[in-house]
Amino acid sequence: MDTEVTRREFHRLAAASALAIAARSATSAQDQPAKAAGTLRLGLIGAGGRGTGLLGNTLAIVPNIVVLAICDIVEASAKRAAGLVTGKGLPEPTLYTNGELDWQNMLKRGDLDAVLIATPWHWHTPMGVGAMKAGVIPGIEVPCSLSVEECWQLVDTSEKTGIQCMMMENWSFRSDNLALLNMVRKGIFGQIVHVHCAHSHDCIDHWFFDAQTGADRWPAQFLLKYNRDQYPTHSLGPVLSWCDINCGDRFKSITSTATDEFGIRDMFIRRFGPDHPGAKRTYAQGDIVTSVIRTEMGKTVVVNYDLQLPRPYDNRWMLQGTRGVYSEQRNALYVVGKSPQYHQWEPFPPYEKQYTHKWWAKGGVGDHGGVDGIMLRNFLEAVRNKQPLPIDVYDSVTMSAVVGLSGESIAAASKPIEFPDFTRGKWKTTKPKFALDDRDFAPPPAVTKTANGLLSQTLLLGLPLPPVELKGVEVKITGEPKQYSGWSMSGNEPHHCLFSENDWGIEITVPKGSSGKVSVYAYAPDGQRRQTVAFCNRQPDALDDMTKGMWVEYPFTKEDSAGGVLKIAVHKVEGANCVLSRLRIVIAPN
Amino acid sequence: MDTEVTRREFHRLAAASALAIAARSATSAQDQPAKAAGTLRLGLIGAGGRGTGLLGNTLAIVPNIVVLAICDIVEASAKRAAGLVTGKGLPEPTLYTNGELDWQNMLKRGDLDAVLIATPWHWHTPMGVGAMKAGVIPGIEVPCSLSVEECWQLVDTSEKTGIQCMMMENWSFRSDNLALLNMVRKGIFGQIVHVHCAHSHDCIDHWFFDAQTGADRWPAQFLLKYNRDQYPTHSLGPVLSWCDINCGDRFKSITSTATDEFGIRDMFIRRFGPDHPGAKRTYAQGDIVTSVIRTEMGKTVVVNYDLQLPRPYDNRWMLQGTRGVYSEQRNALYVVGKSPQYHQWEPFPPYEKQYTHKWWAKGGVGDHGGVDGIMLRNFLEAVRNKQPLPIDVYDSVTMSAVVGLSGESIAAASKPIEFPDFTRGKWKTTKPKFALDDRDFAPPPAVTKTANGLLSQTLLLGLPLPPVELKGVEVKITGEPKQYSGWSMSGNEPHHCLFSENDWGIEITVPKGSSGKVSVYAYAPDGQRRQTVAFCNRQPDALDDMTKGMWVEYPFTKEDSAGGVLKIAVHKVEGANCVLSRLRIVIAPN
């Protein structure tokens, strides 16, 4: 419908204001020299959706740039991309649209500093190698190589020519993943032990096959020919730096196991009927591939390929150390001795805010929630200033090598395969260098400011109550609730609460005539809430919603606080305890 | 502190009323014959915490029972357990406390129908075998065996003696897992393809080692001697029936990979200092073990052992099929073509309610949130009525075999190990028999009733709006928000919302003078919410809370609805869109 928008447009809108800020202060942006080091001369190979998106982001974000050449086998695509360049008032690029090998003529120009490569997978290594041989620094889309042999081609060419090479793995630049990296490097989680990651993204009916007709699109050939983790880099990207891979540790061996193919033909039958040719073919690719990697230093990493079954997008990152654990699915973490309650999750976002990476200080820019702009800026400014690229050739091929290695292991009934040391031993002496951010970070404050300037504190309800740091506010428990701490059958956090078989309550003393909000979070071991809660003199409100993690928020007015005390009454409902696990007080500063 | 209570006490309180109901209607409880088939004669070996808990639950839940014998090497423990029996007015049991082998004398009595075995792991198989040889049906705690050889001992003894044997894996009986089983068997998820499961439970500082002194407790010996998945049954329990293992499919091969041991010594250093003997020893057991099992029919199952690192309890069940996916961590599911929005999670609890297993029709009873009672009732009533046990010997050893097999694979650097077919081919013809529940289940209704009798409907905000089924209620969007559907960078659901760069709003027409509640769920691609929402004439409320999945609920009074229209205004805050993804309306029936 006409009001339907694409993900890209949405993220562009979402990032709009941040983009404005970034543009205003472009010359003072992070990781740029005080004085720009000359005009950057750029080329693009592959002007499809992704290539055009990367170009558009680059033009919007990276100052002092010219785009000299654009190559695509489809002239219309090259022209559309060229339009973006001239639309910015920049000189018209030369187009290379003369067949599959015209990119080689483009690289021969000799006047390019860097080239963005966004072509079908099997072209990534040949084009990257060709660029380096021509003295041009390639930024290659993922995966940069499809076999161990192609990995070595990139490494050897880079080492021989002295030209750097970067795979543009954007998920390494995500705000959440970089904040987590800051936390890891500050030792918050202790020694890192184990990581789980996945690329769970149903691409079957728009990426591999045409959504309307079911006709093959170019990636379909890989499902017909290979059974392996076809796309491991989005899951592994941030994991490399969390685990010091190639800078203190390395991937040593891998086993991979694939399911049979159930989902592809089921999609064709479901959407196009059993007579569609797609429903009658045999596919080599299993639906889910699980790879388990063991590192030289004894960590393990589990990677899941999951691109064919119907499901919401997910990365399922989980990071475990000797002192704590992070779960992306729960958007939560636990740090022993630091988290407010024993064995209880606490929300990750306050930490993400507190440990925000310097690259995100001014917010994201461009596509994928602002990630692509952060990546392109750091890649291209490193090229401009002849600095080391954020992701070097060793990290690039280490992520991509899982494509070939997983195929080998699956073909050998999950036999463990040795993981090549692409650094040839340099991992032992190389120091971590990706996204270094050596500032000090304070832990999240107890009292935070809301978007419209109110002061907010969340109390985990236990005995004794945590200190209330809001000025002029006191909290008192009435009745005799007991404290429960531990783990729940349902796995629903929080695992800590006050409960009673009988009615109990909370009295909150606030400055007379103040206004604000009081929120409660209720929890029971079966994940359901059945008590009734009354706030001040309002009608009781049954907290029986089934959605996990529900806050109920009560605004209070000057009239409510005229007496200086706000009362919360927890009333028993037959068949359950009266349970409240968190209390949030939000109040206007005075 | 004195108000601190144990998990067991908490769950007992939580289950109190359900227990009362179950007791009142015991003779008409599920899976019992109309006429009880005589008194059940029970024995107990191992009267420690768990054994005593099982006995207490049995006495509270299973009618028409006598406990003839109790065995423990500690006389005081046996006496304490006997006190539970006599406290119920039942005859005093004979105690067997004369050393490590007195259980053999107890089994020689010849008058026991069944024996509960809750002893240290290495005694499970010898005692189970001994019971069957004595003609007594053993209910064995987990794991029932520690090696493939012990697995075969149980199978061979059961087949030779014709005496059944059950491992008491209680997580197979959880309400959520059984509801999911009902859904799987109704084909909701299509063909099951892949399952992930884990037993993530920090037992290091209370189970393996004394919390106060760090002294070894009996399970510690296993950390010193073995490197394997020591405890795979809680994770695998429900998975067996989801995947038709031993009844249509079977585990065919397994690879296991362990991390090094980082966490155990770190715990000692952290809690007891570097000079504690525990900090100076070498432990065989790695912190995390990942096993990948492939089935004969091409499914895969990932199992994680995770008992040593500091973290909240978790099972991390994920089930994927050709038509949908379930995630325990998200407490959510997605079914293609059925879930309201494309590629968007929806909450699992409404489905859990709708597909509640018949065993849970009257709620849970006893420990672990009511699970233990459901398990014990079904086990012991099957013994009483000479019916097949809910978990047979083949399923019992299939779960437990992972202990030995994972050790083999880890010792061989993750080499794939063949999984024995304990059924000797019977898996091909055996039909599923665990927890059969052949009723019809309707999908969750759009309008549900809250605990205090209000009517509730949740609308996923998109264009067009879903139909409102609440009588006399209409919803109208004001302004021009756009629809966004797709996946989010942060992985925070829902992935579907209405958003705009400008202010917009919602007008809800309700019967004049009615009262109820309106809730909104707000979402932005970075997982944060920065707009301001105003309800009716109340002060604006910044939805800037960082907790994932926050609902904000506004009670409305007769005064609010006097005009017949409730207005929600979404106001822009600099730096983000105005996003709302769900609307819930709760109203008193009229």
Side-chain angles (χ1 to χ4, degrees):
Chain A
M1 69 203 62
D2 57 340
T3 48
E4 185 76 47
V5 295
T6 65
R7 173 172 50 76
R8 179 166 290 113
E9 182 189 343
F10 178 70
H11 287 306
R12 201 157 41 229
L13 288 168
S17 56
L19 183 56
I21 296 164
R24 279 199 301 278
S25 57
T27 52
S28 70
Q30 298 282 1
D31 301 296
Q32 287 192 43
K35 186 167 139 307
T39 301
L40 186 70
R41 301 164 303 169
L42 193 63
L44 171 69
I45 306 177
R50 180 58 176 159
T52 307
L54 288 168
L55 179 64
N57 277 251
T58 302
L59 291 166
I61 293 149
V62 183
N64 198 8
I65 189 171
V66 287
V67 180
L68 301 179
I70 295 175
C71 173
D72 198 286
I73 53 172
V74 180
E75 191 176 12
S77 303
K79 281 187 167 160
R80 180 188 57 184
L84 291 181
V85 178
T86 52
K88 280 269 171 184
L90 296 174
E92 182 152 20
T94 312
L95 302 191
Y96 296 82
T97 60
N98 185 18
E100 281 210 322
L101 297 179
D102 211 17
W103 58 273
Q104 295 173 341
N105 303 316
M106 167 176 155
L107 290 170
K108 286 205 195 93
R109 297 171 55 95
D111 58 2
L112 297 174
D113 299 312
V115 59
L116 302 178
I117 298 171
T119 51
W121 298 340
H122 50 292
W123 284 105
H124 289 175
T125 295
M127 290 171 172
V129 166
M132 287 187 278
K133 285 183 171 167
V136 182
I137 297 179
I140 312 176
E141 255 305 331
V142 303
C144 65
S145 42
L146 300 175
S147 67
V148 169
E149 190 203 349
E150 284 195 336
C151 291
W152 281 118
Q153 286 177 33
L154 289 171
V155 169
D156 293 343
T157 307
S158 182
E159 289 180 346
K160 200 172 304 144
T161 59
I163 303 295
Q164 299 190 81
C165 166
M166 166 166 152
M167 179 177 73
M168 297 185 289
E169 177 39 63
N170 54 353
W171 267 191
S172 301
F173 295 82
R174 279 171 55 147
S175 171
D176 52 352
N177 291 336
L178 286 171
L180 202 61
L181 178 59
N182 278 340
M183 294 180 71
V184 167
R185 286 176 173 166
K186 292 294 181 183
I188 303 293
F189 299 102
Q191 158 74 49
I192 302 306
V193 176
H194 177 71
V195 177
H196 184 278
C197 63
H199 194 236
S200 295
H201 184 196
D202 179 5
C203 296
I204 197 68
D205 61 4
H206 65 286
W207 193 19
F208 289 107
F209 306 102
D210 182 88
Q212 305 312 319
T213 65
D216 290 359
R217 305 180 71 185
W218 68 261
Q221 64 186 291
F222 292 96
L223 301 182
L224 288 158
K225 277 197 217 131
Y226 304 101
N227 189 11
R228 62 194 188 185
D229 187 332
Q230 307 264 14
Y231 210 63
T233 72
H234 287 328
S235 39
L236 278 172
V239 176
L240 256 61
S241 47
W242 296 339
C243 294
D244 289 336
I245 299 306
N246 297 336
C247 50
D249 200 354
R250 76 176 192 92
F251 288 161
K252 190 164 185 294
S253 68
I254 178 172
T255 62
S256 299
T257 309
T259 68
D260 285 354
E261 179 275 301
F262 299 101
I264 305 176
R265 275 171 300 179
D266 188 72
M267 183 280 292
F268 277 106
I269 291 164
R270 197 175 69 236
R271 297 201 49 186
F272 304 102
D275 296 332
H276 190 288
K280 295 173 169 173
R281 294 184 298 191
T282 305
Y283 299 87
Q285 181 63 55
D287 292 329
I288 305 285
V289 175
T290 304
S291 299
V292 183
I293 302 172
R294 197 172 193 282
T295 76
E296 185 81 46
M297 308 304 286
K299 308 177 189 109
T300 55
V301 176
V302 178
V303 194
N304 273 115
Y305 164 90
D306 178 14
L307 263 57
Q308 299 162 210
L309 297 176
R311 58 161 301 145
Y313 183 86
D314 216 340
N315 286 111
R316 294 155 49 198
W317 282 299
M318 187 194 71
L319 177 143
Q320 282 187 277
T322 53
R323 304 271 169 122
V325 56
Y326 160 79
S327 166
E328 187 220 0
Q329 289 181 91
R330 293 189 180 277
N331 201 22
L333 58 76
Y334 172 75
V335 178
V336 64
K338 287 199 176 66
S339 289
Q341 302 297 349
Y342 183 62
H343 283 177
Q344 179 192 327
W345 293 107
E346 58 175 322
F348 171 64
Y351 286 86
E352 180 177 355
K353 195 179 205 177
Q354 208 64 25
Y355 287 86
T356 297
H357 193 275
K358 61 184 185 184
W359 288 346
W360 283 84
K362 293 191 168 65
V365 281
D367 293 340
H368 292 105
V371 172
D372 290 357
I374 302 276
M375 174 186 72
L376 287 162
R377 176 189 292 159
N378 282 282
F379 167 52
L380 293 172
E381 293 304 340
V383 171
R384 187 204 304 273
N385 301 297
K386 303 186 169 39
Q387 295 166 342
L389 302 180
I391 297 176
D392 67 17
V393 69
Y394 306 110
D395 291 351
S396 300
V397 300
T398 297
M399 291 180 230
S400 303
V402 169
V403 177
L405 293 167
S406 61
E408 275 185 65
S409 180
I410 289 166
S414 305
K415 184 163 144 281
I417 307 290
E418 278 299 304
F419 209 109
D421 174 12
F422 295 107
T423 72
R424 298 189 175 95
K426 287 198 286 285
W427 66 271
K428 294 175 193 156
T429 51
T430 303
K431 296 269 162 287
K433 54 190 185 323
F434 175 72
L436 296 177
D437 186 357
D438 295 330
R439 297 167 302 157
D440 290 329
F441 302 93
V447 173
T448 56
K449 215 182 192 93
T450 71
N452 59 0
L454 304 176
L455 299 175
S456 171
Q457 182 178 4
T458 299
L459 302 174
L460 296 141
L461 292 174
L463 298 169
L465 285 174
V468 180
E469 298 185 15
L470 289 165
K471 198 151 144 290
V473 177
E474 288 168 31
V475 174
K476 185 178 139 210
I477 302 297
T478 60
E480 290 178 342
K482 293 175 180 167
Q483 168 173 315
Y484 168 64
S485 284
W487 51 273
S488 77
M489 187 192 92
S490 67
N492 286 1
E493 78 274 19
H495 303 158
H496 187 80
C497 58
L498 290 178
F499 76 99
S500 171
E501 293 177 273
N502 309 312
D503 296 356
W504 60 285
I506 304 173
E507 287 184 6
I508 307 165
T509 305
V510 296
K512 290 182 180 180
S514 61
S515 64
K517 292 171 293 179
V518 171
S519 311
V520 292
Y521 185 106
Y523 162 80
D526 60 359
Q528 302 175 30
R529 296 164 283 253
R530 298 196 213 82
Q531 73 249 293
T532 291
V533 171
F535 180 71
C536 294
N537 49 10
R538 315 245 173 97
Q539 68 170 23
D541 156 32
L543 292 185
D544 61 347
D545 178 80
M546 310 295 287
T547 307
K548 176 176 168 181
M550 172 174 177
W551 284 91
V552 178
E553 189 154 271
Y554 306 94
F556 66 89
T557 62
K558 294 179 170 48
E559 293 66 36
D560 294 318
S561 66
V565 177
L566 309 168
K567 290 187 179 175
I568 295 174
V570 187
H571 299 301
K572 180 176 182 54
V573 168
E574 180 58 26
N577 291 308
C578 302
V579 180
L580 287 183
S581 49
R582 297 187 199 178
L583 171 71
R584 181 186 302 104
I585 303 166
V586 179
I587 192 163
N590 50 356
Chain B
M1 69 200 63
D2 57 340
T3 48
E4 186 75 48
V5 295
T6 65
R7 172 172 52 75
R8 177 167 291 114
E9 182 188 345
F10 178 69
H11 286 306
R12 200 157 42 228
L13 288 168
S17 57
L19 183 56
I21 296 162
R24 279 197 301 278
S25 57
T27 52
S28 68
Q30 298 282 0
D31 301 296
Q32 287 189 44
K35 185 167 141 306
T39 300
L40 186 70
R41 300 164 304 168
L42 194 63
L44 170 69
I45 306 177
R50 181 56 176 161
T52 307
L54 288 169
L55 180 64
N57 277 254
T58 302
L59 292 166
I61 293 151
V62 184
N64 198 8
I65 187 170
V66 287
V67 181
L68 300 179
I70 295 176
C71 172
D72 199 286
I73 53 172
V74 181
E75 190 177 10
S77 303
K79 281 185 168 161
R80 180 188 58 185
L84 291 180
V85 179
T86 52
K88 282 269 173 185
L90 296 174
E92 183 152 20
T94 312
L95 303 191
Y96 296 82
T97 61
N98 185 19
E100 281 210 321
L101 297 180
D102 211 16
W103 57 273
Q104 296 174 339
N105 302 317
M106 168 177 153
L107 290 171
K108 286 203 197 97
R109 298 170 55 96
D111 57 1
L112 297 173
D113 298 313
V115 60
L116 303 177
I117 298 171
T119 51
W121 298 340
H122 50 293
W123 284 105
H124 288 176
T125 296
M127 290 171 171
V129 167
M132 287 187 277
K133 285 183 173 170
V136 183
I137 297 179
I140 312 176
E141 257 305 331
V142 303
C144 65
S145 43
L146 300 175
S147 67
V148 170
E149 189 202 351
E150 284 195 335
C151 291
W152 280 118
Q153 286 177 31
L154 289 171
V155 169
D156 293 342
T157 308
S158 182
E159 290 181 347
K160 201 170 305 145
T161 61
I163 302 296
Q164 297 190 83
C165 166
M166 165 166 154
M167 181 177 70
M168 297 185 290
E169 177 39 64
N170 54 353
W171 267 191
S172 301
F173 294 82
R174 280 172 54 148
S175 171
D176 53 353
N177 291 336
L178 287 172
L180 202 60
L181 178 59
N182 278 341
M183 295 180 71
V184 166
R185 286 176 173 166
K186 294 294 182 183
I188 304 293
F189 299 102
Q191 159 75 48
I192 302 305
V193 176
H194 177 72
V195 177
H196 184 277
C197 63
H199 193 237
S200 295
H201 184 196
D202 178 5
C203 296
I204 196 69
D205 61 4
H206 63 287
W207 193 20
F208 290 108
F209 306 101
D210 181 87
Q212 305 313 318
T213 66
D216 290 359
R217 304 180 70 184
W218 69 259
Q221 62 185 293
F222 292 96
L223 301 182
L224 289 158
K225 279 198 216 127
Y226 304 101
N227 189 11
R228 60 194 189 186
D229 187 333
Q230 307 265 14
Y231 210 62
T233 71
H234 287 329
S235 39
L236 278 172
V239 176
L240 255 61
S241 48
W242 297 339
C243 293
D244 288 336
I245 300 306
N246 297 337
C247 50
D249 199 355
R250 75 175 192 94
F251 288 161
K252 189 162 185 298
S253 68
I254 179 172
T255 62
S256 299
T257 309
T259 68
D260 286 354
E261 178 275 302
F262 299 101
I264 305 176
R265 276 172 300 179
D266 189 70
M267 182 280 292
F268 276 107
I269 292 163
R270 196 173 71 237
R271 299 201 47 186
F272 304 102
D275 296 333
H276 190 289
K280 296 173 168 175
R281 293 185 298 193
T282 305
Y283 300 86
Q285 181 63 55
D287 292 329
I288 305 285
V289 174
T290 305
S291 299
V292 183
I293 302 171
R294 198 173 192 282
T295 75
E296 185 82 44
M297 308 304 286
K299 309 179 188 106
T300 54
V301 176
V302 179
V303 194
N304 273 117
Y305 164 90
D306 178 15
L307 262 58
Q308 299 162 210
L309 296 176
R311 60 161 300 146
Y313 184 87
D314 216 340
N315 286 111
R316 294 154 50 198
W317 282 299
M318 188 195 70
L319 177 146
Q320 281 187 279
T322 53
R323 304 273 167 121
V325 57
Y326 160 79
S327 166
E328 187 220 0
Q329 289 181 90
R330 294 189 179 277
N331 202 22
L333 58 76
Y334 171 74
V335 178
V336 65
K338 287 198 176 68
S339 289
Q341 303 296 348
Y342 182 61
H343 283 177
Q344 178 192 328
W345 294 107
E346 59 175 320
F348 171 63
Y351 285 86
E352 181 176 354
K353 194 180 203 176
Q354 210 63 26
Y355 286 86
T356 298
H357 193 275
K358 60 184 184 184
W359 287 347
W360 283 83
K362 292 190 169 62
V365 280
D367 293 341
H368 292 105
V371 172
D372 290 356
I374 302 275
M375 172 185 74
L376 288 162
R377 175 189 294 159
N378 281 281
F379 167 52
L380 294 171
E381 293 303 340
V383 172
R384 187 203 305 271
N385 300 298
K386 303 188 169 39
Q387 294 166 344
L389 302 180
I391 298 177
D392 67 18
V393 69
Y394 305 110
D395 291 352
S396 301
V397 299
T398 297
M399 292 181 228
S400 304
V402 170
V403 177
L405 293 167
S406 62
E408 273 186 66
S409 181
I410 289 166
S414 305
K415 185 163 144 282
I417 308 290
E418 278 299 305
F419 209 110
D421 173 12
F422 295 107
T423 72
R424 298 189 175 94
K426 287 197 287 285
W427 66 270
K428 295 174 192 157
T429 50
T430 303
K431 295 269 162 284
K433 55 190 185 323
F434 175 72
L436 296 177
D437 186 357
D438 295 331
R439 298 167 302 157
D440 289 329
F441 302 94
V447 173
T448 57
K449 215 181 193 97
T450 71
N452 59 1
L454 304 175
L455 299 175
S456 171
Q457 181 176 8
T458 300
L459 302 174
L460 296 138
L461 291 174
L463 298 169
L465 285 175
V468 180
E469 298 186 16
L470 289 166
K471 197 151 145 289
V473 177
E474 288 169 29
V475 174
K476 186 178 140 210
I477 302 296
T478 60
E480 288 178 342
K482 295 176 179 167
Q483 168 172 315
Y484 169 64
S485 283
W487 51 272
S488 77
M489 188 193 93
S490 68
N492 286 2
E493 79 277 18
H495 302 159
H496 186 80
C497 57
L498 289 178
F499 76 98
S500 171
E501 293 177 272
N502 310 312
D503 296 354
W504 61 285
I506 305 173
E507 287 185 4
I508 307 166
T509 305
V510 295
K512 290 182 181 180
S514 62
S515 63
K517 291 170 294 176
V518 171
S519 311
V520 292
Y521 184 106
Y523 161 80
D526 61 359
Q528 301 175 31
R529 297 165 282 252
R530 297 198 214 79
Q531 73 252 291
T532 291
V533 170
F535 180 70
C536 295
N537 48 9
R538 315 245 174 97
Q539 68 171 25
D541 154 34
L543 290 185
D544 61 349
D545 179 80
M546 310 297 285
T547 306
K548 176 175 170 182
M550 171 175 176
W551 284 92
V552 179
E553 187 156 272
Y554 305 94
F556 66 90
T557 63
K558 295 177 167 49
E559 294 66 36
D560 294 320
S561 65
V565 177
L566 308 168
K567 289 186 179 176
I568 296 173
V570 187
H571 299 300
K572 180 175 182 57
V573 169
E574 180 59 26
N577 290 307
C578 303
V579 179
L580 286 184
S581 48
R582 299 189 197 177
L583 171 71
R584 179 185 303 107
I585 302 166
V586 179
I587 191 164
N590 49 355

